[in-house]
mmCIF file of all heavy atoms in Angstrom:
data_model
loop_
_atom_site.group_PDB
_atom_site.id
_atom_site.type_symbol
_atom_site.label_atom_id
_atom_site.label_comp_id
_atom_site.label_asym_id
_atom_site.label_seq_id
_atom_site.Cartn_x
_atom_site.Cartn_y
_atom_site.Cartn_z
ATOM 1 N N ASN A 1 -76.091 -8.492 60.852
ATOM 2 C CA ASN A 1 -75.696 -8.110 59.488
ATOM 3 C C ASN A 1 -75.600 -6.611 59.263
ATOM 4 O O ASN A 1 -74.892 -6.161 58.365
ATOM 5 C CB ASN A 1 -76.660 -8.718 58.464
ATOM 6 C CG ASN A 1 -76.464 -10.210 58.335
ATOM 7 O OD1 ASN A 1 -75.397 -10.734 58.657
ATOM 8 N ND2 ASN A 1 -77.494 -10.902 57.878
ATOM 9 N N ASP A 2 -76.314 -5.822 60.042
ATOM 10 C CA ASP A 2 -76.352 -4.374 59.831
ATOM 11 C C ASP A 2 -75.422 -3.593 60.758
ATOM 12 O O ASP A 2 -75.396 -2.368 60.704
ATOM 13 C CB ASP A 2 -77.790 -3.860 60.019
ATOM 14 C CG ASP A 2 -78.743 -4.418 58.974
ATOM 15 O OD1 ASP A 2 -78.294 -4.639 57.833
ATOM 16 O OD2 ASP A 2 -79.913 -4.640 59.309
ATOM 17 N N SER A 3 -74.688 -4.276 61.610
ATOM 18 C CA SER A 3 -73.854 -3.587 62.601
ATOM 19 C C SER A 3 -72.375 -3.672 62.243
ATOM 20 O O SER A 3 -71.927 -4.637 61.641
ATOM 21 C CB SER A 3 -74.055 -4.208 63.981
ATOM 22 O OG SER A 3 -75.374 -4.045 64.411
ATOM 23 N N TRP A 4 -71.658 -2.654 62.672
ATOM 24 C CA TRP A 4 -70.213 -2.669 62.526
ATOM 25 C C TRP A 4 -69.586 -3.498 63.638
ATOM 26 O O TRP A 4 -70.109 -3.583 64.746
ATOM 27 C CB TRP A 4 -69.650 -1.256 62.621
ATOM 28 C CG TRP A 4 -69.865 -0.414 61.410
ATOM 29 C CD1 TRP A 4 -70.161 -0.821 60.146
ATOM 30 C CD2 TRP A 4 -69.775 1.012 61.351
ATOM 31 N NE1 TRP A 4 -70.258 0.249 59.303
ATOM 32 C CE2 TRP A 4 -70.023 1.396 60.024
ATOM 33 C CE3 TRP A 4 -69.512 1.997 62.295
ATOM 34 C CZ2 TRP A 4 -70.013 2.720 59.604
ATOM 35 C CZ3 TRP A 4 -69.502 3.309 61.880
ATOM 36 C CH2 TRP A 4 -69.744 3.674 60.549
ATOM 37 N N THR A 5 -68.424 -4.058 63.343
ATOM 38 C CA THR A 5 -67.624 -4.736 64.361
ATOM 39 C C THR A 5 -66.876 -3.656 65.150
ATOM 40 O O THR A 5 -66.856 -2.479 64.763
ATOM 41 C CB THR A 5 -66.603 -5.679 63.708
ATOM 42 O OG1 THR A 5 -65.660 -4.889 62.970
ATOM 43 C CG2 THR A 5 -67.278 -6.698 62.799
ATOM 44 N N ILE A 6 -66.212 -4.057 66.218
ATOM 45 C CA ILE A 6 -65.393 -3.107 66.976
ATOM 46 C C ILE A 6 -64.291 -2.551 66.084
ATOM 47 O O ILE A 6 -64.004 -1.340 66.104
ATOM 48 C CB ILE A 6 -64.825 -3.755 68.254
ATOM 49 C CG1 ILE A 6 -65.968 -4.023 69.244
ATOM 50 C CG2 ILE A 6 -63.740 -2.883 68.889
ATOM 51 C CD1 ILE A 6 -65.572 -4.819 70.471
ATOM 52 N N LYS A 7 -63.696 -3.377 65.257
ATOM 53 C CA LYS A 7 -62.663 -2.906 64.323
ATOM 54 C C LYS A 7 -63.220 -1.814 63.412
ATOM 55 O O LYS A 7 -62.571 -0.798 63.168
ATOM 56 C CB LYS A 7 -62.160 -4.058 63.442
ATOM 57 C CG LYS A 7 -60.875 -4.674 63.865
ATOM 58 C CD LYS A 7 -60.417 -5.641 62.788
ATOM 59 C CE LYS A 7 -59.002 -6.077 63.040
ATOM 60 N NZ LYS A 7 -58.526 -7.011 62.021
ATOM 61 N N GLU A 8 -64.419 -2.028 62.915
ATOM 62 C CA GLU A 8 -65.019 -1.057 62.001
ATOM 63 C C GLU A 8 -65.416 0.230 62.724
ATOM 64 O O GLU A 8 -65.306 1.317 62.149
ATOM 65 C CB GLU A 8 -66.212 -1.694 61.291
ATOM 66 C CG GLU A 8 -65.783 -2.784 60.321
ATOM 67 C CD GLU A 8 -66.913 -3.640 59.804
ATOM 68 O OE1 GLU A 8 -67.935 -3.824 60.516
ATOM 69 O OE2 GLU A 8 -66.776 -4.153 58.678
ATOM 70 N N ILE A 9 -65.849 0.113 63.968
ATOM 71 C CA ILE A 9 -66.166 1.321 64.750
ATOM 72 C C ILE A 9 -64.892 2.141 64.956
ATOM 73 O O ILE A 9 -64.893 3.364 64.766
ATOM 74 C CB ILE A 9 -66.817 0.968 66.107
ATOM 75 C CG1 ILE A 9 -68.200 0.338 65.892
ATOM 76 C CG2 ILE A 9 -66.928 2.217 66.993
ATOM 77 C CD1 ILE A 9 -68.809 -0.272 67.152
ATOM 78 N N VAL A 10 -63.805 1.490 65.333
ATOM 79 C CA VAL A 10 -62.529 2.200 65.517
ATOM 80 C C VAL A 10 -62.087 2.810 64.183
ATOM 81 O O VAL A 10 -61.632 3.953 64.140
ATOM 82 C CB VAL A 10 -61.460 1.262 66.114
ATOM 83 C CG1 VAL A 10 -60.072 1.895 66.068
ATOM 84 C CG2 VAL A 10 -61.829 0.916 67.560
ATOM 85 N N GLY A 11 -62.250 2.082 63.100
ATOM 86 C CA GLY A 11 -61.927 2.621 61.782
ATOM 87 C C GLY A 11 -62.753 3.852 61.469
ATOM 88 O O GLY A 11 -62.239 4.860 60.966
ATOM 89 N N HIS A 12 -64.043 3.798 61.772
ATOM 90 C CA HIS A 12 -64.909 4.966 61.564
ATOM 91 C C HIS A 12 -64.447 6.151 62.414
ATOM 92 O O HIS A 12 -64.475 7.291 61.963
ATOM 93 C CB HIS A 12 -66.360 4.616 61.896
ATOM 94 C CG HIS A 12 -67.228 5.812 62.015
ATOM 95 N ND1 HIS A 12 -67.567 6.611 60.940
ATOM 96 C CD2 HIS A 12 -67.803 6.383 63.100
ATOM 97 C CE1 HIS A 12 -68.331 7.605 61.362
ATOM 98 N NE2 HIS A 12 -68.473 7.491 62.670
ATOM 99 N N MET A 13 -64.003 5.880 63.637
ATOM 100 C CA MET A 13 -63.505 6.959 64.494
ATOM 101 C C MET A 13 -62.258 7.607 63.888
ATOM 102 O O MET A 13 -62.070 8.820 63.988
ATOM 103 C CB MET A 13 -63.231 6.432 65.902
ATOM 104 C CG MET A 13 -64.496 6.013 66.640
ATOM 105 S SD MET A 13 -64.153 5.227 68.233
ATOM 106 C CE MET A 13 -63.887 6.695 69.248
ATOM 107 N N ILE A 14 -61.435 6.806 63.248
ATOM 108 C CA ILE A 14 -60.254 7.332 62.545
ATOM 109 C C ILE A 14 -60.706 8.197 61.374
ATOM 110 O O ILE A 14 -60.205 9.311 61.167
ATOM 111 C CB ILE A 14 -59.339 6.181 62.091
ATOM 112 C CG1 ILE A 14 -58.709 5.494 63.298
ATOM 113 C CG2 ILE A 14 -58.267 6.690 61.111
ATOM 114 C CD1 ILE A 14 -58.073 4.143 62.989
ATOM 115 N N ASP A 15 -61.677 7.696 60.601
ATOM 116 C CA ASP A 15 -62.216 8.474 59.483
ATOM 117 C C ASP A 15 -62.799 9.799 59.964
ATOM 118 O O ASP A 15 -62.606 10.843 59.340
ATOM 119 C CB ASP A 15 -63.318 7.695 58.763
ATOM 120 C CG ASP A 15 -62.819 6.454 58.072
ATOM 121 O OD1 ASP A 15 -61.601 6.336 57.830
ATOM 122 O OD2 ASP A 15 -63.663 5.584 57.761
ATOM 123 N N SER A 16 -63.513 9.753 61.066
ATOM 124 C CA SER A 16 -64.104 10.960 61.628
ATOM 125 C C SER A 16 -63.019 11.975 61.989
ATOM 126 O O SER A 16 -63.134 13.166 61.691
ATOM 127 C CB SER A 16 -64.930 10.605 62.864
ATOM 128 O OG SER A 16 -65.457 11.763 63.450
ATOM 129 N N ALA A 17 -61.963 11.487 62.618
ATOM 130 C CA ALA A 17 -60.855 12.383 62.976
ATOM 131 C C ALA A 17 -60.231 13.001 61.729
ATOM 132 O O ALA A 17 -60.009 14.210 61.674
ATOM 133 C CB ALA A 17 -59.804 11.630 63.790
ATOM 134 N N THR A 18 -59.965 12.190 60.714
ATOM 135 C CA THR A 18 -59.304 12.726 59.520
ATOM 136 C C THR A 18 -60.201 13.706 58.793
ATOM 137 O O THR A 18 -59.733 14.756 58.335
ATOM 138 C CB THR A 18 -58.836 11.602 58.561
ATOM 139 O OG1 THR A 18 -59.948 10.838 58.142
ATOM 140 C CG2 THR A 18 -57.814 10.706 59.224
ATOM 141 N N ASN A 19 -61.493 13.407 58.687
ATOM 142 C CA ASN A 19 -62.413 14.337 58.039
ATOM 143 C C ASN A 19 -62.519 15.646 58.820
ATOM 144 O O ASN A 19 -62.540 16.727 58.234
ATOM 145 C CB ASN A 19 -63.800 13.703 57.871
ATOM 146 C CG ASN A 19 -63.891 12.874 56.624
ATOM 147 O OD1 ASN A 19 -64.061 13.413 55.539
ATOM 148 N ND2 ASN A 19 -63.746 11.571 56.765
ATOM 149 N N ASN A 20 -62.581 15.541 60.140
ATOM 150 C CA ASN A 20 -62.674 16.757 60.954
ATOM 151 C C ASN A 20 -61.381 17.563 60.935
ATOM 152 O O ASN A 20 -61.426 18.793 60.978
ATOM 153 C CB ASN A 20 -63.117 16.418 62.378
ATOM 154 C CG ASN A 20 -64.607 16.234 62.445
ATOM 155 O OD1 ASN A 20 -65.361 17.176 62.262
ATOM 156 N ND2 ASN A 20 -65.043 15.007 62.662
ATOM 157 N N ILE A 21 -60.248 16.902 60.840
ATOM 158 C CA ILE A 21 -58.985 17.632 60.709
ATOM 159 C C ILE A 21 -59.028 18.489 59.442
ATOM 160 O O ILE A 21 -58.685 19.672 59.470
ATOM 161 C CB ILE A 21 -57.779 16.665 60.703
ATOM 162 C CG1 ILE A 21 -57.533 16.130 62.114
ATOM 163 C CG2 ILE A 21 -56.522 17.360 60.154
ATOM 164 C CD1 ILE A 21 -56.553 14.964 62.181
ATOM 165 N N HIS A 22 -59.462 17.895 58.344
ATOM 166 C CA HIS A 22 -59.561 18.659 57.091
ATOM 167 C C HIS A 22 -60.532 19.822 57.226
ATOM 168 O O HIS A 22 -60.243 20.931 56.762
ATOM 169 C CB HIS A 22 -59.973 17.741 55.936
ATOM 170 C CG HIS A 22 -58.863 16.890 55.449
ATOM 171 N ND1 HIS A 22 -58.075 17.235 54.385
ATOM 172 C CD2 HIS A 22 -58.380 15.706 55.902
ATOM 173 C CE1 HIS A 22 -57.160 16.296 54.191
ATOM 174 N NE2 HIS A 22 -57.324 15.360 55.103
ATOM 175 N N ARG A 23 -61.655 19.597 57.852
ATOM 176 C CA ARG A 23 -62.629 20.684 58.033
ATOM 177 C C ARG A 23 -62.042 21.806 58.886
ATOM 178 O O ARG A 23 -62.195 22.982 58.566
ATOM 179 C CB ARG A 23 -63.897 20.138 58.674
ATOM 180 C CG ARG A 23 -64.687 19.241 57.764
ATOM 181 C CD ARG A 23 -65.912 18.683 58.477
ATOM 182 N NE ARG A 23 -66.574 17.710 57.631
ATOM 183 C CZ ARG A 23 -67.009 16.533 58.046
ATOM 184 N NH1 ARG A 23 -66.858 16.179 59.316
ATOM 185 N NH2 ARG A 23 -67.600 15.710 57.234
ATOM 186 N N ILE A 24 -61.395 21.438 59.998
ATOM 187 C CA ILE A 24 -60.810 22.446 60.888
ATOM 188 C C ILE A 24 -59.800 23.312 60.126
ATOM 189 O O ILE A 24 -59.788 24.534 60.265
ATOM 190 C CB ILE A 24 -60.152 21.774 62.115
ATOM 191 C CG1 ILE A 24 -61.218 21.167 63.029
ATOM 192 C CG2 ILE A 24 -59.288 22.772 62.901
ATOM 193 C CD1 ILE A 24 -60.660 20.210 64.085
ATOM 194 N N ILE A 25 -58.982 22.685 59.329
ATOM 195 C CA ILE A 25 -57.965 23.427 58.583
ATOM 196 C C ILE A 25 -58.614 24.298 57.513
ATOM 197 O O ILE A 25 -58.350 25.506 57.425
ATOM 198 C CB ILE A 25 -56.924 22.461 57.987
ATOM 199 C CG1 ILE A 25 -56.104 21.827 59.121
ATOM 200 C CG2 ILE A 25 -56.005 23.184 56.991
ATOM 201 C CD1 ILE A 25 -55.274 20.634 58.711
ATOM 202 N N HIS A 26 -59.492 23.695 56.694
ATOM 203 C CA HIS A 26 -60.136 24.457 55.616
ATOM 204 C C HIS A 26 -60.948 25.636 56.150
ATOM 205 O O HIS A 26 -60.964 26.707 55.539
ATOM 206 C CB HIS A 26 -61.041 23.552 54.782
ATOM 207 C CG HIS A 26 -60.300 22.665 53.841
ATOM 208 N ND1 HIS A 26 -59.687 23.136 52.698
ATOM 209 C CD2 HIS A 26 -60.067 21.328 53.866
ATOM 210 C CE1 HIS A 26 -59.118 22.130 52.058
ATOM 211 N NE2 HIS A 26 -59.318 21.018 52.753
ATOM 212 N N LEU A 27 -61.618 25.437 57.279
ATOM 213 C CA LEU A 27 -62.464 26.504 57.822
ATOM 214 C C LEU A 27 -61.667 27.695 58.347
ATOM 215 O O LEU A 27 -62.245 28.738 58.636
ATOM 216 C CB LEU A 27 -63.374 25.952 58.917
ATOM 217 C CG LEU A 27 -64.568 25.163 58.383
ATOM 218 C CD1 LEU A 27 -65.250 24.390 59.509
ATOM 219 C CD2 LEU A 27 -65.548 26.085 57.683
ATOM 220 N N GLN A 28 -60.367 27.556 58.436
ATOM 221 C CA GLN A 28 -59.554 28.672 58.904
ATOM 222 C C GLN A 28 -58.964 29.503 57.768
ATOM 223 O O GLN A 28 -58.420 30.577 58.018
ATOM 224 C CB GLN A 28 -58.448 28.164 59.831
ATOM 225 C CG GLN A 28 -59.033 27.619 61.132
ATOM 226 C CD GLN A 28 -57.965 27.170 62.073
ATOM 227 O OE1 GLN A 28 -57.306 27.990 62.719
ATOM 228 N NE2 GLN A 28 -57.765 25.866 62.153
ATOM 229 N N TYR A 29 -59.072 29.019 56.516
ATOM 230 C CA TYR A 29 -58.520 29.834 55.429
ATOM 231 C C TYR A 29 -59.395 29.909 54.181
ATOM 232 O O TYR A 29 -59.149 30.736 53.315
ATOM 233 C CB TYR A 29 -57.102 29.370 55.059
ATOM 234 C CG TYR A 29 -57.020 28.093 54.245
ATOM 235 C CD1 TYR A 29 -57.034 28.135 52.856
ATOM 236 C CD2 TYR A 29 -56.909 26.856 54.875
ATOM 237 C CE1 TYR A 29 -56.953 26.963 52.111
ATOM 238 C CE2 TYR A 29 -56.816 25.696 54.136
ATOM 239 C CZ TYR A 29 -56.847 25.747 52.754
ATOM 240 O OH TYR A 29 -56.762 24.597 52.031
ATOM 241 N N GLN A 30 -60.428 29.078 54.095
ATOM 242 C CA GLN A 30 -61.336 29.126 52.950
ATOM 243 C C GLN A 30 -62.482 30.096 53.242
ATOM 244 O O GLN A 30 -62.792 30.356 54.405
ATOM 245 C CB GLN A 30 -61.920 27.729 52.682
ATOM 246 C CG GLN A 30 -60.917 26.683 52.303
ATOM 247 C CD GLN A 30 -60.523 26.763 50.832
ATOM 248 O OE1 GLN A 30 -61.073 27.522 50.054
ATOM 249 N NE2 GLN A 30 -59.550 25.953 50.462
ATOM 250 N N PRO A 31 -63.127 30.604 52.199
ATOM 251 C CA PRO A 31 -64.296 31.467 52.423
ATOM 252 C C PRO A 31 -65.409 30.698 53.137
ATOM 253 O O PRO A 31 -65.589 29.506 52.917
ATOM 254 C CB PRO A 31 -64.739 31.860 51.015
ATOM 255 C CG PRO A 31 -63.623 31.503 50.103
ATOM 256 C CD PRO A 31 -62.811 30.443 50.785
ATOM 257 N N SER A 32 -66.122 31.407 54.005
ATOM 258 C CA SER A 32 -67.228 30.812 54.754
ATOM 259 C C SER A 32 -68.535 31.317 54.161
ATOM 260 O O SER A 32 -68.632 32.490 53.825
ATOM 261 C CB SER A 32 -67.120 31.220 56.222
ATOM 262 O OG SER A 32 -68.183 30.708 56.974
ATOM 263 N N PRO A 33 -69.558 30.472 53.984
ATOM 264 C CA PRO A 33 -69.593 29.053 54.333
ATOM 265 C C PRO A 33 -68.889 28.198 53.276
ATOM 266 O O PRO A 33 -68.872 28.513 52.093
ATOM 267 C CB PRO A 33 -71.086 28.736 54.380
ATOM 268 C CG PRO A 33 -71.722 29.688 53.448
ATOM 269 C CD PRO A 33 -70.865 30.929 53.489
ATOM 270 N N LEU A 34 -68.331 27.124 53.743
ATOM 271 C CA LEU A 34 -67.559 26.206 52.916
ATOM 272 C C LEU A 34 -68.418 24.990 52.579
ATOM 273 O O LEU A 34 -69.088 24.437 53.443
ATOM 274 C CB LEU A 34 -66.316 25.765 53.697
ATOM 275 C CG LEU A 34 -65.430 24.676 53.114
ATOM 276 C CD1 LEU A 34 -64.746 25.169 51.847
ATOM 277 C CD2 LEU A 34 -64.386 24.255 54.134
ATOM 278 N N ILE A 35 -68.407 24.617 51.329
ATOM 279 C CA ILE A 35 -69.081 23.378 50.941
ATOM 280 C C ILE A 35 -68.013 22.299 50.947
ATOM 281 O O ILE A 35 -67.013 22.391 50.246
ATOM 282 C CB ILE A 35 -69.747 23.506 49.566
ATOM 283 C CG1 ILE A 35 -70.832 24.576 49.622
ATOM 284 C CG2 ILE A 35 -70.323 22.157 49.128
ATOM 285 C CD1 ILE A 35 -71.467 24.889 48.288
ATOM 286 N N PHE A 36 -68.217 21.311 51.785
ATOM 287 C CA PHE A 36 -67.245 20.249 51.966
ATOM 288 C C PHE A 36 -67.827 18.958 51.402
ATOM 289 O O PHE A 36 -69.022 18.725 51.527
ATOM 290 C CB PHE A 36 -66.944 20.089 53.471
ATOM 291 C CG PHE A 36 -65.616 19.476 53.764
ATOM 292 C CD1 PHE A 36 -64.476 20.246 53.786
ATOM 293 C CD2 PHE A 36 -65.508 18.126 54.017
ATOM 294 C CE1 PHE A 36 -63.246 19.686 54.062
ATOM 295 C CE2 PHE A 36 -64.284 17.551 54.292
ATOM 296 C CZ PHE A 36 -63.154 18.328 54.309
ATOM 297 N N PRO A 37 -67.016 18.107 50.793
ATOM 298 C CA PRO A 37 -67.552 16.858 50.233
ATOM 299 C C PRO A 37 -68.271 16.026 51.299
ATOM 300 O O PRO A 37 -67.886 16.001 52.457
ATOM 301 C CB PRO A 37 -66.309 16.111 49.739
ATOM 302 C CG PRO A 37 -65.250 17.137 49.620
ATOM 303 C CD PRO A 37 -65.571 18.218 50.609
#
């Protein structure tokens, strides 16, 4: 009941990529340190 399925793990990996893409971009033009949601 507490574990993700393989589908959900892959989905989380997609979320991780999209969140990190935003961080990588923001960290190159926003003032540092940046507070990110």
Side-chain angles (χ1 to χ4, degrees):
N1 288 337
D2 295 327
S3 297
W4 285 341
T5 66
I6 291 173
K7 260 188 169 180
E8 291 168 331
I9 293 169
V10 169
H12 167 69
M13 293 174 81
I14 292 165
D15 294 342
S16 177
T18 60
N19 275 281
N20 279 293
I21 286 168
H22 284 265
R23 291 178 186 135
I24 291 167
I25 292 166
H26 284 287
L27 283 167
Q28 293 182 77
Y29 76 90
Q30 297 280 354
S32 178
L34 173 67
I35 297 174
F36 204 83

